[in-house]
Amino acid sequence: ADSRTTAVENLLVSQHYLRRALVLSVDSLNLKSLEASLAAEAAGKDATDVPPQFPELPADLEGWIGYVLPAELTTRMADDRGKEKKVLNRRTAKKPDLLVAYLDWAISALLEHALQLHTLPLLAMLRFLAEHVLKNEDLQLYAWLWTASVYRALGLAPEAAAAQQSAAALQMSEERERRLAETVRQREGLKETVRAASVVFMQREGESQAMPKGPSRESDKFVKVLTPLEPHEVWVRQAELLLEAGDLSEAKMILQRALTHAKATDDSEAEAWCLHHSARLAALEGNPTRAVQFEMSAQAYTNTLRFWGRSTEALAEYMVEQAAAALGKAS
């Protein structure tokens, strides 16, 4: 988009069609229920076993405040096997991980333009996909924390508390923590093996042959490529929302886990964000000097505009706090 107005218009179109997917799902299920009921009536059979119809989804954005997709609806959506494939579920969302990544981008973009209400239907879709399609508790926690954050921004304390309570019910099991730690060990071992083999190869063939130059990618340097969210990326987002909610201890634990996995996968962008949020954590704990150290370390890992915009602003804030603390002690 070449202007804010165009960007907002594009976002609203995107939001409309994403929300439409939920509306079509409900309409399709209700039509099936109606057809089954009419067929039973025409045959003189009992229609009590026919699934009931669902109320229509909220027609306006205010109606989505506090709205949660009914459990009966989400279950029928997930289990639908209709040939027309009009119901959102695993069969119709061929690449649900990419749909989640797109929702993540769309919700973030709407929030950047202060369109909080418009995110509520998309957050409902994100929660559905996380629970019933991908069956990913990390994504479920992320979606509920994000929902609570939006409600707080809208000044809706009861709804924010309810969403935060739903998030609190999602805790990572010790068994999953163990499996994740084992995954990190395996990746670290693989990296060492590859590194050793690379050294031997470079010694034999020479560095120029070992690392041939590939084609230039300057032309697509600024093209955004949609990729599935990695687990550590989800954890980084969880930690940011937990910091916003004031849950420092939980945020610290998740940041440590995210940083460990980001290092294991050589994801420097995620490392930068982990250190950036660690700086915020240190500042909230009353240690601006440590916050400055974390933020300056974070800046060595990425050069993306979005990160640097937030990082430089945060670093300036921490330096001011550091100077104020030093002047206070000196006086």
Side-chain angles (χ1 to χ4, degrees):
D2 55 4
S3 68
R4 175 183 170 84
T5 300
T6 304
V8 170
E9 289 174 351
N10 291 343
L11 282 170
L12 293 180
V13 170
S14 176
Q15 190 265 6
H16 167 79
Y17 283 107
L18 287 167
R19 181 171 61 166
R20 186 65 183 158
L22 288 177
V23 173
L24 286 175
S25 296
V26 175
D27 289 347
S28 179
L29 291 175
N30 284 342
L31 179 60
K32 289 180 182 180
S33 294
L34 177 61
E35 291 174 344
S37 178
L38 292 175
E41 183 180 339
K45 297 181 179 178
D46 187 3
T48 55
D49 293 335
V50 175
Q53 296 190 43
F54 297 103
E56 293 184 356
L57 296 178
D60 54 21
L61 294 173
E62 288 77 9
W64 285 90
I65 295 175
Y67 181 83
V68 177
L69 294 173
E72 298 84 356
L73 172 60
T74 55
T75 299
R76 281 186 58 192
M77 286 174 61
D79 294 342
D80 184 75
R81 296 293 182 271
K83 294 182 179 180
E84 66 280 2
K85 296 184 179 181
K86 292 183 179 180
V87 178
L88 180 64
N89 57 26
R90 182 74 195 192
R91 294 174 64 245
T92 55
K94 298 298 184 181
K95 296 182 179 179
D97 49 354
L98 290 183
L99 177 55
V100 164
Y102 184 77
L103 281 169
D104 179 74
W105 169 83
I107 295 168
S108 298
L110 287 166
L111 292 176
E112 287 177 3
H113 292 281
L115 297 171
Q116 286 90 349
L117 275 177
H118 292 75
T119 68
L120 296 180
L122 306 193
L123 285 166
M125 181 184 288
L126 180 61
R127 296 195 300 267
F128 169 76
L129 291 170
E131 182 176 1
H132 295 279
V133 178
L134 293 176
K135 303 183 186 302
N136 186 319
E137 289 193 353
D138 287 331
L139 276 174
Q140 288 183 61
L141 175 58
Y142 172 41
W144 278 115
L145 289 172
W146 212 356
T147 302
S149 173
V150 170
Y151 282 141
R152 282 195 298 271
L154 290 169
L156 301 170
E159 288 79 5
Q164 199 73 35
Q165 187 174 2
S166 296
L170 296 165
Q171 298 291 336
M172 184 175 290
S173 66
E174 293 183 1
E175 173 60 22
R176 183 143 189 270
E177 288 275 17
R178 186 194 64 76
R179 292 199 306 269
L180 288 170
E182 179 60 27
T183 299
V184 169
R185 286 192 290 270
Q186 291 174 356
R187 285 176 175 172
E188 291 292 351
L190 179 61
K191 284 166 62 177
E192 287 299 323
T193 301
V194 172
R195 188 179 295 114
S198 177
V199 169
V200 172
F201 182 73
M202 289 173 64
Q203 290 174 344
R204 290 179 178 177
E205 304 296 331
E207 186 171 352
S208 60
Q209 295 181 6
M211 294 188 298
K213 294 183 178 180
S216 172
R217 295 182 59 83
E218 284 297 318
S219 61
D220 61 359
K221 183 176 180 180
F222 301 107
V223 174
K224 179 177 177 58
V225 178
L226 196 64
T227 57
L229 293 176
E230 295 292 338
H232 57 263
E233 293 179 297
V234 176
W235 298 331
V236 170
R237 288 160 168 76
Q238 289 177 2
E240 180 179 10
L241 293 166
L242 287 165
L243 287 173
E244 178 191 303
D247 192 345
L248 305 190
S249 60
E250 187 71 14
K252 179 182 290 187
M253 181 187 71
I254 291 178
L255 278 173
Q256 290 171 346
R257 182 201 305 149
L259 184 58
T260 299
H261 283 259
K263 288 180 179 293
T265 55
D266 292 324
D267 189 339
S268 60
E269 177 80 8
E271 286 187 66
W273 285 108
C274 285
L275 293 170
H276 171 72
H277 295 314
S278 295
R280 173 58 61 187
L281 175 63
L284 291 172
E285 291 177 335
N287 192 339
T289 300
R290 187 68 172 148
V292 169
Q293 294 171 346
F294 272 127
E295 199 64 57
M296 293 184 71
S297 298
Q299 293 181 352
Y301 285 89
T302 184
N303 60 358
T304 60
L305 180 60
R306 178 173 175 268
F307 172 84
W308 272 82
R310 294 180 59 176
S311 180
T312 52
E313 181 181 357
L315 183 58
E317 176 187 335
Y318 305 148
M319 285 181 168
V320 169
E321 293 177 1
Q322 184 183 33
L327 290 173
K329 290 180 181 179
S331 60

